[in-house]
Amino acid sequence: MELTPAEIVRELDKHIVGQAAAKRAVAVALRNRTRRKRLPPELAREVTPKNILMIGPTGVGKTEIARRLARLAGAPFLKVEATKFTEVGYVGRDVDSIVRDLAEASYQLVMGEMKNKVAERAQTAAEEEVASLLRVSVFEVRSGRHDEASVEVEVAEEAKMPFMGMMGGNDQMQGLTDMLKGLMPARRVRRRMRVREALETLKNQEAERLVDKEEATQEALRRAQEEGIVFIDEMDKVARSSKGGSGPDVSGEGVQRDLLPVVEGTVVSTRLGPVSTDHVLFIAAGAFHVSKPSDLIPELQGRFPIRVELESLGVAEFERILREPENSLIKQYSALLGADGTETHFSPEAVQAVARYAFQANQELEDIGARRLATVLERVLEEVSFQTELGRVEITKEYVETRLAGVLASHDLSRYIL
């Protein structure tokens, strides 16, 4: 599906409120991938992604924009925190693990798609095997009347390598372990389980067997290299302090220098094969309250030429977040309660009250952006959620105030509850 930048923004608008500048930037980046495919091969190789640096406080949509973009494109997506790499060799991670994890995410994405294509055949094979074990017809298995019956099936069990536990748990060793596991055949063991569980297990095994693993590997490698999206959060926390202090993380500049080759373009060995990062799109993000983008080392700054600032969220934006997205929080909670026979209706004034209280909590406590809305709603609906089959429940402004007034009146209490 080749969407124009305007169409990409419209799709993102269905899930994320505001942040037009960030949406436009990622929309252009995604469209440029489509444009690049139309270029002559020798020129296409030279056209690299224009990486993006998002600047804005937590909870304003940075991660969600990147995640939705990847989902929209059907692209492998990986989110990492820059601070995870601050003590490499001790408790931190090797930056090459970014590429290995991206390759794995790509493989799982491709395998999922390929399994879906053979799902019907795999389901039929599973039903036939269970029917033979029960000595009944496939139609009886499909009817569900035997779901609670017990059968013994043969399942594949991943080869265990206990000696690897004595060799450390760093990323290089984990990569070696994964490669060795792939060379060792899985053990076949017999397990007793209920029919419904057996059907799912056998379906997954049959789908695995029907999928061409080599084709999946090659397609996963291609997607990781050509379509992969890596979101690096907390980039501000590894930037040098503008005041010259070392800050809590003295190895921040070292982390940046470790990240630089991966962002510039390098080749990393993975269990699927070598992966080049030349055309992976990197989206970095951070609040940059204490530090600023210019505190990053110059080489890394140059690798993020597109910078967008995301806006802080106020009461009006919180109201829109509660109501407008396709799967807004109000819709999610209403659907959850509806599953138990409770019809929940929020008055407009109640929605405004929730938004206002969430904004107030962010002002008085730590600002966690739109994430505060879920915390507030949990408190508001706690009593309703505890009951079942209440029929129609009206959530009014007065009800919201009753549920929250006592919490926000006590600063100490609100710190732990909201």
Side-chain angles (χ1 to χ4, degrees), residues 155-173:
V155 298
E157 187 178 74
E158 189 178 71
K160 288 184 170 58
M161 305 176 67
F163 63 89
M164 280 299 178
M166 300 181 288
M167 300 178 67
N170 59 35
D171 289 302
Q172 292 92 338
M173 190 55 63

Side-chain angles (χ1 to χ4, degrees), residues 6-81:
E7 289 171 335
I8 294 168
V9 169
R10 280 197 293 273
E11 288 298 315
L12 293 174
D13 283 342
K14 294 178 182 178
H15 307 282
I16 303 153
V17 168
Q19 312 303 1
K23 289 174 181 173
R24 286 173 66 91
V26 298
V28 170
L30 186 58
R31 181 62 183 184
N32 280 342
R33 287 187 159 176
T34 302
R35 292 164 175 155
R36 177 176 166 271
K37 291 176 184 176
R38 299 172 180 169
L39 300 177
E42 63 277 5
L43 181 57
R45 281 193 295 269
E46 301 300 320
V47 177
T48 56
K50 303 302 180 284
N51 298 321
I52 301 166
L53 179 62
M54 293 185 181
I55 304 162
T58 186
V60 297
K62 301 187 295 294
T63 305
E64 192 62 16
I65 287 173
R67 195 189 312 278
R68 290 287 178 182
L69 182 76
R71 194 173 299 173
L72 189 61
F77 175 77
L78 179 70
K79 178 190 174 184
V80 297
E81 285 81 37

Side-chain angles (χ1 to χ4, degrees), residues 96-147:
D96 284 355
S97 66
I98 293 174
V99 186
R100 290 193 288 270
D101 290 347
L102 179 66
E104 191 59 37
S106 184
Y107 184 74
Q108 295 303 326
L109 179 66
V110 171
M111 282 294 289
E113 292 175 356
M114 288 187 167
K115 283 182 179 180
N116 284 339
K117 290 179 180 178
V118 299
E120 192 172 328
R121 289 165 59 194
Q123 180 70 28
T124 299
E127 291 167 346
E128 289 173 349
E129 183 168 346
V130 170
S132 68
L133 292 171
L134 291 172
R135 293 184 172 84
V136 299
S137 70
V138 170
F139 298 105
E140 283 194 67
V141 172
R142 288 174 180 168
S143 71
R145 70 179 67 174
H146 299 288
D147 280 357

